[in-house]
């Protein structure tokens, strides 16, 4: 299993906005633990909010990385605010949108939204959450420490997602 | 933009960035010890100031870069007179008078008050 919490990128405006989708599936191991049947209550599988946040952070992180052609080590530095109004269950499609508010040598601030697709009306999404996420370009904020030269943030998996979604990584 | 308008906007940014209450943000409040700012919050604050006021803020311009990287600036855990002189010239918006009495490097972040941020923005806007 790879630590990838988006399935496909559907929209990319370089340096500005990126949209990705995540399909929640009962095939995912974590849904069997979150939450299992217990004390006579049936299982209650819902996508953990932390993993939804991870997905939306990956969405924003790819946008920020792409803006500098993946030269920077883009590290999640801070989630200023995060709201999630409802659960996502197996069969749901989540849509994460990230917009760059500010980007410079030191890092970037982004605004993101989380939506859920209507199960009955194709193309209709309901907003269920939002998060403000700040990223650091780690090489410019090392506080005297030395980081490895290779870009350990952007693995091939991220670039593969861009490519299979129809976007080059350059 | 008047000083009061700058102050109101800075206050709004700090309330948002540091998740503090409105009344906690006073001119003399220190970003770290009073408002709980951590190092990454400084990055967030710089980003938010640039957005809100349309400024370009270079790294180290509002808050100093890591002092301990400069051998001449820190000795035995204290900022040297040379270090203090450099800080004063690079950060004219900051009042170092209290810090000079006990210039422990670990306390340097305490010089950053809300007032220092307001003064910084005021100077930047005035310099066009």
């Amino acid at each position: 299993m790879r630590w990838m919490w988006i399935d496909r990128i559907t929209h990319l405006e370089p340096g500005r906005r990126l949209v990705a989708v995540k399909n929640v599936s009962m095939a995912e191991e974590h849904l069997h633990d979150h939450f299992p049947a217990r004390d006579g209550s049936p299982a209650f599988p819902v996508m953990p909010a932390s993993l939804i946040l991870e997905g939306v952070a990956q969405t924003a992180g790819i946008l920020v990385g792409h803006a500098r052609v993946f030269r920077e080590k883009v590290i999640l530095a801070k989630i200023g605010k995060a709201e999630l109004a409802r659960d996502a269950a197996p069969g749901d499609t989540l849509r994460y949108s990230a917009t760059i508010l500010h980007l410079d040598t030191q890092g970037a601030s982004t605004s993101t939204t989380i939506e859920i697709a209507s199960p009955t009306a194709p193309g209709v999404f309901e907003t269920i959450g939002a998060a403000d996420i700040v990223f650091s370009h780690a090489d410019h904020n090392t506080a005297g420490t030395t980081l490895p030269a290779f870009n350990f943030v952007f693995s091939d998996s991220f670039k593969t997602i861009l490519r299979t979604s129809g976007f080059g990584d350059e | 933009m008047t000083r009061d308008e700058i102050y109101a906007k800075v206050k709004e940014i700090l309330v948002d960035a540091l998740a503090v209450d409105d009344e906690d943000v006073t001119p003399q409040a220190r970003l770290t010890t009073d408002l709980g700012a951590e190092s990454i919050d400084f990055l967030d604050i710089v980003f938010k100031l640039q957005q809100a006021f349309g400024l370009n803020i270079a790294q180290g311009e509002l808050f100093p870069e890591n002092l301990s990287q400069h051998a001449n600036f820190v000795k035995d855990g204290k900022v040297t007179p040379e270090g203090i002189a450099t800080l004063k010239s690079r950060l004219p918006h900051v009042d170092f008078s209290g810090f000079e009495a006990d210039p422990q490097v670990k306390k340097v972040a305490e010089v950053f008050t809300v007032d220092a941020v307001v003064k910084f923005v005021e100077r930047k806007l005035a310099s066009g």
Side-chain angles (χ1 to χ4, degrees), chain B residues 55-66:
Chain B
L55 298 172
N56 281 317
I57 304 174
Q59 192 161 8
E61 194 179 349
L62 171 58
F63 306 116
E65 293 181 82
N66 191 24

Side-chain angles (χ1 to χ4, degrees), chain B residues 23-40:
Chain B
E23 58 267 26
D24 295 332
V25 183
T26 62
Q28 296 319 313
R30 290 167 297 187
L31 301 191
T32 51
T33 45
D34 295 326
L35 302 179
E38 295 178 12
S39 59
I40 211 68

Side-chain angles (χ1 to χ4, degrees), chain A residues 36-79:
Chain A
R38 193 162 43 197
D39 301 332
S41 300
F44 179 61
V46 288
M47 174 112 172
S50 53
L51 292 179
I52 293 179
L53 267 183
E54 175 64 28
V56 82
Q58 290 185 357
T59 303
I62 293 171
L63 173 65
V64 173
H66 186 275
R68 296 275 162 112
V69 205
F70 299 107
R71 283 191 301 264
E72 299 289 352
K73 300 177 184 96
V74 176
I75 304 288
L76 195 163
K78 176 177 174 179
I79 296 181

Side-chain angles (χ1 to χ4, degrees), chain A residues 5 9 60 81 87 108 113 127 138-139 154 159 162 164:
Chain A
W5 293 100
I9 293 164
K81 182 175 66 183
D87 291 324
T113 59
T127 300
D139 284 331
F154 292 106
K159 294 181 180 175
L162 269 165
T164 56

